[in-house]
Amino acid sequence: MKEALKFPDGFLWGAATASYQVEGGIENNDWAAAARAGRVVPAGIGIDQYNRYKEDFALAKSLGHTCHRISIEWSRIEPEEGKFDMAQINHYKQVLQSLHENNLVPFVTLWHFTLPEWFAQKGGFRKKENIGFFVRYCAFVVAQLKGHCKNFATMNEPMVYSSMGYLWGQWPPFEIFKVEWYFKVVFNLIRAHNQAYNEIKKDNPEVLVSLVKHNIYMHVSPSSRFNLVYHVACRLSHWWWNEYFLNKTSKHLDAIDINYYFHSEYGKSAKHIKSDMGWDLYPEGLYHVLKHAAKYGKDLRVTEAGLADEKDQFREQYIKSMVENVHRAISEGTPVKGFMYWSLLDNYEWSHGFSKKFGLIAVDLETKKRTVRHSAYAYKKICETNAVITD
Ligand code: BGC
């Protein structure tokens, strides 16, 4: 029998984006430098949200959204070491103003993967002595924008960032299996978050500071349940990938933001439908990562969950199933306060360039025309009714 699963009053619904992936026209960060060196696809003007944010936010509103996640581009705010660009601060104030005009509660991430070139050239987060630059930038931006936003996350997916740049060599600085540097970066990011938290809260106790954590549901397949090696490997990976960073930062968090894309099954895995990224669609994993993150005793928000699906054939069902899993977690007492689909629009998917289509809204790269996908209307129903109807 069909049943409406109601969400708590005030639950926030929306979508997420990140500066370098949507804004266009950013030429002085490490990704732009990598593009010039021919190592990644250039982002160029991309989908040009820098100039089209009003249109995009009006679309989000028309789709029933009540919140929206963006990030601030460090290389715009501090294009040279110690030189802060107030024109760019004013730009982001207008962006936030536009979110408010569309009744979208803003969630701001201060750093989403891209580094100003000058910071990258100094060795980035590999060097402990560079942490102070990040802390100064975070405190500056929050002090400037706090009148327009209450929820700030210091950083996006530190574990992903460290491994893609220092183990797998796929993202700047393209280091392959530099294990020592990898650990240094992880430990420095922990310090960077904690110090930024203290610095922000010292002068702005009224804002809420979180970090955005990419967690994976790790499990042993039923057919391998007696395999001790799998259990140990699963437990260790879970501890390192999902827990370690949060264990070390939990005293410096007002809330925890969770991004969910993967499960990792040890042993013989059942076959699952895959997204255009080749990733299993495993919505029940979201329930498990939320249940786990609840142990830190903070409010949780799903700040990313989504799929690349150019044909829009699986998106509607996948969103619905994820939302049902969020509901299940909430009904068992997990304090989840919002859900933000990744992403509002098709955008620059890092080393894949513009080839992967995560958007609720498709974008024609030539004309920049936005076209709402069918699945976005199904999500709209969920947002507007604050409920999901089970099959
Ligand atoms: C990142 C996004 C990215 C998405 C899809 C997340 O890990 O925060 O920037 O586009 O995954 O790969």
Side-chain angles (χ1 to χ4, degrees):
M1 210 182 65
K2 285 186 192 287
E3 191 194 345
L5 304 177
K6 257 297 196 197
F7 279 73
D9 287 346
F11 190 85
L12 293 169
W13 297 99
T17 62
S19 56
Y20 193 63
Q21 296 181 268
V22 296
E23 286 185 3
I26 298 167
E27 292 302 338
N28 57 348
N29 68 21
D30 53 347
W31 275 80
R36 280 195 295 278
R39 304 199 71 165
V40 292
V41 180
I45 286 299
I47 67 164
D48 192 29
Q49 194 182 69
Y50 190 78
N51 297 303
R52 294 164 197 260
Y53 61 89
K54 288 186 182 155
E55 176 189 347
D56 292 343
F57 298 163
L59 273 172
K61 182 185 182 193
S62 77
L63 291 171
H65 298 193
T66 53
C67 68
H68 189 71
R69 174 175 173 232
I70 61 165
S71 78
I72 306 291
E73 179 63 30
W74 185 0
S75 66
R76 283 197 194 278
I77 303 295
E78 194 179 358
E80 286 172 51
E81 183 190 327
K83 294 223 166 94
F84 293 89
D85 187 339
M86 291 313 285
Q88 297 298 338
I89 287 288
N90 283 333
H91 168 79
Y92 284 113
K93 280 188 183 164
Q94 284 164 27
V95 168
L96 291 169
Q97 185 55 35
S98 173
L99 286 173
H100 288 299
E101 282 163 12
N102 286 291
N103 293 324
L104 297 163
V105 174
F107 285 83
V108 166
T109 302
L110 295 165
W111 171 57
H112 194 122
F113 295 157
T114 51
L115 299 176
E117 256 187 292
W118 61 264
F119 183 81
Q121 278 160 8
K122 281 178 179 292
F125 286 106
R126 193 160 58 74
K127 301 258 177 71
K128 202 171 166 184
E129 59 268 30
N130 290 346
I131 293 172
F133 295 112
F134 176 74
V135 174
R136 180 178 66 179
Y137 157 74
C138 290
F140 175 76
V141 173
V142 173
Q144 295 296 322
L145 299 184
K146 67 177 174 185
H148 298 71
C149 179
K150 193 173 167 217
N151 296 289
F152 291 92
T154 55
M155 59 181 69
N156 181 66
E157 300 185 350
M159 299 301 284
V160 173
Y161 171 80
S162 317
S163 58
M164 293 301 267
Y166 292 88
L167 286 182
W168 317 131
Q170 290 182 24
W171 293 359
F174 305 104
E175 301 293 353
I176 299 174
F177 233 74
K178 292 280 171 49
V179 178
E180 195 192 329
W181 287 0
Y182 166 71
F183 283 110
K184 276 195 174 147
V185 171
V186 173
F187 299 145
N188 284 337
L189 287 174
I190 289 169
R191 294 183 182 107
H193 169 81
N194 289 341
Q195 289 177 29
Y197 179 93
N198 288 341
E199 196 61 26
I200 292 169
K201 298 289 282 196
K202 196 172 70 180
D203 294 330
N204 318 284
E206 71 279 24
V207 304
L208 297 176
V209 180
S210 65
L211 69 84
V212 178
K213 187 68 185 53
H214 176 286
N215 276 6
I216 300 177
Y217 174 47
M218 307 202 184
H219 53 129
V220 176
S221 77
S223 58
S224 302
R225 64 187 176 284
F226 299 118
N227 186 319
L228 189 63
V229 175
Y230 283 149
H231 279 285
V232 172
C234 180
R235 182 63 223 160
L236 258 180
S237 317
H238 170 74
W239 168 76
W240 175 246
W241 187 269
N242 293 333
E243 293 194 322
Y244 187 80
F245 209 96
L246 289 175
N247 289 347
K248 298 289 176 191
T249 51
S250 63
K251 292 200 185 79
H252 299 86
L253 286 169
D254 299 325
I256 298 176
D257 293 328
I258 293 288
N259 291 357
Y260 172 74
Y261 290 95
F262 301 114
H263 80 126
S264 168
E265 192 163 359
Y266 290 76
K268 200 168 175 295
S269 166
K271 288 252 176 298
H272 300 282
I273 297 172
K274 292 188 190 302
S275 73
D276 296 347
M277 296 292 280
W279 301 344
D280 280 358
L281 299 186
Y282 196 84
E284 53 272 48
L286 180 53
Y287 163 81
H288 293 285
V289 298
L290 291 171
K291 289 287 285 188
H292 162 258
K295 79 174 197 177
Y296 295 97
K298 316 276 174 183
D299 278 357
L300 306 174
R301 286 85 57 115
V302 179
T303 36
E304 284 183 38
L307 78 168
D309 179 20
E310 184 164 15
K311 295 193 184 125
D312 205 30
Q313 48 184 337
F314 304 124
R315 192 174 279 104
E316 175 176 344
Q317 187 53 44
Y318 186 56
I319 291 178
K320 206 173 151 253
S321 306
M322 286 198 296
V323 166
E324 284 175 20
N325 277 288
V326 174
H327 189 275
R328 182 176 162 212
I330 293 174
S331 67
E332 293 172 13
T334 311
V336 190
K337 305 297 177 186
F339 178 88
M340 288 165 246
Y341 174 81
W342 181 272
S343 182
L344 180 66
L345 304 126
D346 288 346
N347 61 45
Y348 181 77
E349 178 52 27
W350 304 113
S351 47
H352 298 274
F354 291 96
S355 63
K356 303 295 177 199
K357 314 292 185 188
F358 279 84
L360 292 169
I361 301 170
V363 184
D364 182 319
L365 272 184
E366 290 298 310
T367 62
K368 316 294 179 208
K369 185 172 181 296
R370 275 73 169 140
T371 308
V372 176
R373 290 199 166 97
H374 173 77
S375 53
Y377 294 110
Y379 182 46
K380 175 180 174 164
K381 253 189 218 138
I382 295 175
C383 304
E384 283 182 349
T385 55
N386 198 29
V388 60
I389 313 278
T390 60
D391 292 322

